[in-house]
Amino acid sequence: MLEIKNLHARIADDGAEILRGIDLTVKPGEVHAIMGPNGSGKSTLSYILAGKEDYEVTEGDILFNGESILEMAPEERASAGVFLAFQYPIEIPGVATMTFLKTAMNAQRKARGEEELSTPEFMRRVKDKAGELQVTMDMLKRPLNVGFSGGEKKRAEILQMALLEPSLCVLDETDSGLDIDALRVVADGVNKLRSPERSSIVITHYQRLLDHIVPDVVHVLSKGRIVKTGGKELALELEKNGYAEFVGAAA
Amino acid sequence: MPAVQETIDRVRSIDVDQYKYGFFTDIESDKAPKGLNEDIIRFISAKKDEPEWMLEWRLDAYRRWLTMTEPTWARVEYPPIDFNDIYYYSAPKTAAGPKSLDEVDPELLETYEKLGIPLREQEILAGVEPKNRVAVDAVFDSVSVVTTFKEELKKAGVIFCSISEAMREHPELVRKYLGTVVPVTDNFYATLNSAVFTDGSFVYVPEGVRCPMELSTYFRINEQNTGQFERTLIIADKGAYVSYLEGCTAPQRDENQLHAAVVELIALDDAEIKYSTVQNWYPGDSEGKGGIYNFVTKRGDCRGKNSKISWTQVETGSAITWKYPSCILRGDNSRGEFYSIAVSNGCQQIDSGTKMMHLGKNTSSRIISKGISAGRSQNTYRGLVSAHRKASNARNFTQCDSLLIGQDCGAHTVPYIESKNATAVFEHEATTSKISDDQMFYCQQRGLSGEEAVALIVNGFVKDVIQQLPMEFAVEAQKLISISLEGSVG
């Protein structure tokens, strides 16, 4: 599904190197957690996967279903099946959430050479998924993310993920800013999407999200490298001992 | 990256490729000689078979115009206009007074078909629900070629015809109202218009009548070096209501063409006029060559008590726009509204806004202006809100929002507020924002192309105004805005 090979990347503006040789293979159906202290490059990795222009890949490659995606525009990656749930979802004033959902779904369908969704079919899909995520009709009519609470923003992200049906879901600190009830709703939404064909990368600081979304593999990222890989018990270990050990090792 | 080159090429080719109304119709026309003098005015007046008083009115305007100078206070730049290098009258030869659609030159009908404007009443009847029908007056260069649904409107008592016809058929109405909102002496371009105006639409909705359908005029400049000087006069008598829409296009040409129109609206007691414009004149190419100079005076007079006039405009075309649809709030409790979307791209220059003049008691006005600048364009909002001494309890709310796309464009807001009455309450809010890289990336991550992302964000930005347009035109306007901004993502 996803193969990251010796990935080096820096900030395009000032040349600061953030990723220093990442190797990561995610097989279909697997959920990988990436943990690590602030500034270790977790969010950068998610942005580079999605194709944000602010970063420059200097070495290495990212293969998605066997093909390099480095030259692909963000929207091409999206239509190919890469989805990023943002840590800080962006506000789009004046654009109803419903309108945004329809535009995004149809844009991806068009890129893949599929028919646009009819309005009744679209409404049916939205109603199904929105109900599961406790997203109300009222919220769908409001402009996307404008005035949304932290929990509403994250639920809206997962709703988009559920409707766009990506094959690779990247969740960037989806647990930040959520109380425990909201966390459960979001985690349930993610778990429902687990399937043998779909893989996820869950980026987080904390073990608690991983109680709800149980990963197959846990990686520790520090100073732009993966310094430790293990099973789900690794997350518990980190929760107990902190990152100090790994930060030291990478330095 | 090859994508960057592609973007640059697209930006270079904007307007030229995208102005889809840039075709020219090869049709024989009847033209007056180039230039402007009293003989030309006599020629126009004679062509239109006008009464003597009308000719005198024109000549007075012309003599006054000779003493005037062009206004220079607007934030627009252009080389001096040679007013003697323009044709002031051009009419399609066969179009002289068609009685019905069957007599209209098929070439002309085809032109309007290409523009997506249905002139054949039958087709409209077959395809659309009766309540959604739109009566159209089509103006080609200097003359009105056809007006649809006249008979049906007549049954309701509504007069909708070309202004030339109104002068012949309803001289008392024209004489009573023409020039009473925009006087002959008003300003350089309005005075020029008064001298040489060739056609335009006339609407009279009698007392207590709600006009049964949308009225619409489509203006098309076709001939080279021709100016279009139309004059529109709309009167809503006591308790009447009318909704009117104008649309405009022109062929792509290397030289600039002048469009100096005057629109006068008069609302008597309890009457309401809603005037919408979708202006899509040729904007010139990406280097600023060619395009229409749109120097227009539009003013509405809320003459009666409880009257209401609402202007909604979507401005995407013209090389230069100089236009301030205004309301004189004369009647007590009258209300004026101005909703505007002004989109500039390439080298377009826009200096537009409104004037709300509160004269009567308890008058209120609302201004919502959304300016979007892209490319190397300059987009200025200029507005005046004034309360006169007797305008107690005047209220105004103004909101001016500007959105910038790219690094090389400009947005400017110049509001004037004058209050001579202590009870007036005027509010002004303004914002300037840019489409952020984060917004773009977010949309693209969801699968939207750069252009789809811009279109979506811009449509969100202008939503408040789009909602004011008649339903039939809201979708059209949204598409038009997207097309105008194609190639603006660098």
Side-chain angles (χ1 to χ4, degrees):
Chain A
M1 167 77 55
L2 178 72
E3 267 182 279
I4 302 176
K5 292 178 170 171
N6 190 31
L7 187 69
H8 289 254
R10 62 186 183 198
I11 297 175
D13 273 354
D14 61 10
E17 192 170 41
I18 308 287
L19 301 185
R20 306 166 192 216
I22 290 200
D23 287 285
L24 178 67
T25 302
V26 181
K27 297 203 183 79
E30 286 183 346
V31 172
H32 287 230
I34 295 180
M35 304 183 71
N38 290 327
S40 57
K42 301 190 298 295
S43 287
T44 301
L45 178 62
S46 72
Y47 285 145
I48 289 171
L49 284 172
K52 199 172 189 194
E53 273 181 8
D54 306 4
Y55 304 95
E56 208 179 315
V57 172
T58 52
E59 213 183 318
D61 206 348
I62 302 172
L63 305 182
F64 183 59
N65 296 327
E67 285 183 41
S68 174
I69 57 169
L70 288 184
E71 291 299 315
M72 284 164 73
E75 63 268 29
E76 292 171 325
R77 299 182 195 201
S79 300
V82 178
F83 183 92
L84 169 63
F86 283 63
Q87 183 182 359
Y88 303 110
I90 308 293
E91 296 183 357
I92 313 285
V95 178
T97 303
M98 192 81 95
T99 307
F100 186 84
L101 292 172
K102 195 173 184 191
T103 310
M105 286 167 83
N106 282 332
Q108 293 203 9
R109 293 178 75 88
K110 202 173 90 190
R112 290 192 294 257
E114 299 163 16
E115 287 270 310
E116 290 201 352
L117 284 174
S118 69
T119 302
E121 175 59 16
F122 165 76
M123 289 304 293
R124 194 184 61 73
R125 293 189 189 196
V126 171
K127 276 186 183 151
D128 277 2
K129 305 288 183 191
E132 288 171 12
L133 287 158
Q134 297 178 13
V135 172
T136 59
M137 223 10 148
D138 168 63
M139 193 174 144
L140 290 169
K141 284 179 188 160
R142 282 154 60 195
L144 183 65
N145 294 324
V146 178
F148 282 19
S149 69
E152 286 175 329
K153 282 185 183 171
K154 296 301 167 76
R155 280 187 275 140
E157 290 291 284
I158 304 303
L159 176 62
Q160 292 179 51
M161 190 163 98
L163 289 168
L164 292 169
E165 302 177 327
S167 52
L168 176 66
C169 310
V170 182
L171 292 101
D172 187 8
E173 302 204 16
T174 296
D175 50 338
S176 69
L178 292 187
D179 61 36
I180 200 74
D181 295 330
L183 183 70
R184 196 166 289 132
V185 173
V186 166
D188 286 350
V190 175
N191 286 330
K192 283 216 174 86
L193 291 174
R194 285 179 89 150
S195 83
E197 298 82 39
R198 182 174 289 133
S199 313
S200 300
I201 294 176
V202 180
I203 294 169
T204 183
H205 276 293
Y206 304 109
Q207 152 67 22
R208 65 169 195 172
L209 178 66
L210 305 180
D211 287 341
H212 299 278
I213 305 172
V214 181
D216 299 300
V217 187
V218 174
H219 307 275
V220 179
L221 190 65
S222 177
K223 299 190 175 162
R225 281 194 199 96
I226 289 176
V227 292
K228 174 102 180 171
T229 298
K232 60 186 176 207
E233 64 288 348
L234 177 56
L236 293 165
E237 203 181 301
L238 287 168
E239 184 79 356
K240 215 166 98 192
N241 302 331
Y243 293 113
E245 177 191 344
F246 304 107
V247 175
Chain B
M1 270 199 323
V4 174
Q5 188 53 46
E6 199 186 49
T7 309
I8 293 170
D9 290 345
R10 289 204 69 158
V11 171
R12 288 220 176 100
S13 67
I14 53 163
D15 302 344
V16 182
D17 296 343
Q18 282 158 15
Y19 190 73
K20 64 173 180 172
Y21 307 108
F23 61 87
F24 163 72
T25 307
D26 195 6
I27 198 162
E28 260 194 286
S29 5
D30 189 1
K31 281 195 268 194
K34 239 184 202 180
L36 186 54
N37 52 53
E38 294 199 4
D39 287 343
I40 292 286
I41 290 164
R42 286 197 173 89
F43 174 92
I44 293 170
S45 193
K47 271 277 169 200
K48 308 219 149 271
D49 211 2
E50 286 176 355
E52 186 62 26
W53 63 266
M54 197 59 232
L55 175 63
E56 281 310 314
W57 200 80
R58 288 175 179 277
L59 289 172
D60 275 353
Y62 174 66
R63 286 166 200 145
R64 169 66 78 128
W65 179 74
L66 288 174
T67 68
M68 297 167 92
T69 50
E70 289 179 69
T72 52
W73 43 262
R75 201 177 193 287
V76 294
E77 275 173 34
Y78 55 93
I81 298 170
D82 182 354
F83 289 93
N84 276 314
D85 195 32
I86 295 173
Y87 290 104
Y88 288 84
Y89 183 83
S90 164
K93 255 190 183 153
T94 50
K99 295 281 177 296
S100 74
L101 276 169
D102 304 336
E103 289 174 40
V104 176
D105 190 323
E107 283 262 11
L108 269 172
L109 286 177
E110 221 169 273
T111 301
Y112 279 90
E113 231 157 71
K114 268 198 225 175
L115 298 170
I117 301 153
L119 291 184
R120 292 199 175 89
E121 294 178 27
Q122 262 68 22
E123 285 176 18
I124 308 171
L125 282 168
V128 188
E129 284 293 299
K131 62 175 189 260
N132 287 341
R133 281 172 310 161
V134 178
V136 177
D137 181 24
V139 177
F140 200 83
D141 286 335
S142 306
V143 294
S144 168
V145 287
V146 67
T147 308
T148 61
F149 288 110
K150 261 172 133 165
E151 286 308 309
E152 202 166 328
L153 287 166
K154 208 171 169 185
K155 273 183 221 153
V158 176
I159 302 169
F160 179 39
C161 62
S162 75
I163 199 149
S164 313
E165 193 182 327
M167 255 178 263
R168 293 189 300 266
E169 310 288 327
H170 311 281
E172 69 299 340
L173 285 173
V174 177
R175 206 167 178 179
K176 184 170 173 192
Y177 292 108
L178 188 72
T180 62
V181 186
V182 179
V184 168
T185 54
D186 194 76
N187 71 72
F188 185 82
Y189 293 107
T191 305
L192 175 63
N193 174 287
S194 303
V196 302
F197 76 87
T198 40
D199 223 327
S201 301
F202 175 83
V203 178
Y204 174 78
V205 186
E207 190 169 338
V209 171
R210 196 179 165 88
C211 186
M213 61 181 92
E214 297 272 341
L215 304 182
S216 171
T217 301
Y218 273 89
F219 296 102
R220 173 82 180 165
I221 299 181
N222 191 56
E223 277 297 316
Q224 204 158 4
N225 295 322
T226 304
Q228 191 174 48
F229 304 91
E230 88 266 2
R231 184 121 195 163
T232 297
L233 178 59
I234 299 176
I235 302 133
D237 212 320
K238 290 175 185 169
Y241 169 85
V242 61
S243 169
Y244 181 93
L245 183 119
E246 65 164 7
C248 356
T249 58
Q252 236 165 274
R253 296 194 184 281
D254 285 347
E255 78 276 10
N256 297 105
Q257 283 177 286
L258 179 62
H259 173 252
V262 171
V263 174
E264 296 176 280
L265 312 182
I266 295 145
L268 301 182
D269 288 357
D270 305 301
E272 179 175 349
I273 302 174
K274 192 174 161 67
Y275 193 104
S276 312
T277 304
V278 176
Q279 187 264 107
N280 187 23
W281 294 118
Y282 178 54
D285 71 8
S286 52
E287 299 302 313
K289 198 171 181 198
I292 302 288
Y293 291 164
N294 192 32
F295 299 152
V296 171
T297 305
K298 293 186 170 180
R299 197 173 300 151
D301 188 355
C302 286
R303 204 163 280 182
K305 61 179 180 358
N306 307 317
S307 56
K308 181 177 168 187
I309 289 178
S310 173
W311 298 99
T312 304
Q313 56 170 20
V314 178
E315 302 275 323
T316 60
S318 299
I320 299 175
T321 301
W322 178 97
K323 170 179 172 186
Y324 315 88
S326 305
C327 295
I328 302 167
L329 303 169
R330 196 186 305 275
D332 290 348
N333 311 317
S334 61
R335 179 166 174 83
E337 291 175 341
F338 175 76
Y339 298 98
S340 169
I341 298 169
V343 183
S344 58
N345 196 354
C347 294
Q348 283 175 272
Q349 304 174 65
I350 296 181
D351 193 302
S352 181
T354 184
K355 285 192 272 186
M356 292 291 172
M357 287 156 282
H358 293 255
L359 306 181
K361 293 185 182 64
N362 306 316
T363 50
S364 63
S365 60
R366 183 181 171 85
I367 299 170
I368 308 284
S369 163
K370 306 271 179 177
I372 299 151
S373 343
R376 284 176 287 154
S377 66
Q378 296 294 330
N379 200 327
T380 304
Y381 168 83
R382 189 182 303 276
L384 167 71
V385 179
S386 64
H388 288 252
R389 272 191 329 236
K390 289 177 184 166
S392 4
N393 301 316
R395 293 281 181 278
N396 165 266
F397 174 75
T398 300
Q399 188 181 336
C400 292
D401 297 325
S402 308
L403 186 69
L404 299 166
I405 302 172
Q407 306 294 329
D408 305 318
C409 54
H412 317 273
T413 302
V414 192
Y416 300 85
I417 293 175
E418 290 169 7
S419 177
K420 290 178 185 153
N421 186 304
T423 60
V425 178
F426 293 166
E427 291 173 73
H428 181 94
E429 287 179 11
T431 65
T432 302
S433 54
K434 276 190 74 167
I435 293 184
S436 72
D437 291 347
D438 284 343
Q439 283 177 322
M440 290 295 292
F441 176 62
Y442 186 83
C443 293
Q444 286 174 281
Q445 208 301 304
R446 298 302 186 246
L448 279 69
S449 68
E451 308 214 317
E452 287 169 329
V454 168
L456 184 78
I457 295 167
V458 167
N459 276 324
F461 176 74
V462 301
K463 199 185 75 183
D464 302 351
V465 177
I466 292 282
Q467 284 171 343
Q468 299 298 326
L469 283 172
M471 269 293 278
E472 296 85 350
F473 303 102
V475 177
E476 192 187 344
Q478 260 172 336
K479 276 192 203 141
L480 184 60
I481 292 165
S482 304
I483 292 166
S484 309
L485 288 169
E486 267 174 32
S488 63
V489 198

